[in-house]
Amino acid sequence: DAILDTQIKTNNNKKYGSSGGNKTIDKVFLLTNKDVNNTAYGFQKGSRIKSRTRRVQITDHALVEGYRNKENMNTCWWLRSPGISNYYAAYVLTSGNVTYGHFVGCRNDAVRPAIKVKRSCIIFGEDFNDGKYKAPMIIAREK
């Protein structure tokens, strides 16, 4: 109940003329290039900038599967923004830069789903610390 329906509109890629597709209503979605350049969401502005805020460290499971950049142990991840054609999508590189030239279905990299939550339905708990990382816990309230 805490996860909101979100109207999703993906803008066309004006530079390359590729379509963003139809509007949808989703509970879980991918971010756009505009989202990952939004400082209000905690990201650094500038798609061409090597951004630490867009970098993703690889998980232990993905490391076993062989998905990694051997230099920095980061992984790439998909965006929903269209790429250089409708067969390509925007993509965050291991450096944190955004590119538009990766063929959809050709890569085995990360997907970072996003959700919007209803604040009135959640309680923010103490930081969870398993020795590897800290993350806030979200606990759904009883109805």
Side-chain angles (χ1 to χ4, degrees), residues 1-2 118 121 140-143:
D1 290 335
K118 191 183 322 176
C121 291
R141 291 182 192 231
E142 296 291 326
K143 282 188 167 183

Side-chain angles (χ1 to χ4, degrees), residues 10 37 75 77 99 135-136 138:
T10 304
N37 280 281
T75 189
W77 53 287
T99 185
I138 299 175

Side-chain angles (χ1 to χ4, degrees), residues 2-22:
I3 300 173
L4 296 171
D5 287 335
T6 303
Q7 184 172 350
I8 303 298
K9 180 184 184 307
T10 304
N11 293 328
N12 296 338
N13 188 319
K14 292 178 184 175
K15 181 176 181 178
Y16 299 108
S18 47
S19 171
N22 297 329

Side-chain angles (χ1 to χ4, degrees), residues 74-90:
N74 293 338
T75 189
C76 302
W77 53 287
W78 290 102
L79 301 175
R80 75 169 190 270
S81 297
I84 60 174
S85 79
N86 283 7
Y87 296 105
Y88 292 78

Side-chain angles (χ1 to χ4, degrees), residues 78-104:
W78 290 102
L79 301 175
R80 75 169 190 270
S81 297
I84 60 174
S85 79
N86 283 7
Y87 296 105
Y88 292 78
Y91 192 75
V92 179
L93 300 170
T94 61
S95 61
N97 300 57
V98 177
T99 185
Y100 297 89
H102 285 284
F103 180 68
V104 176

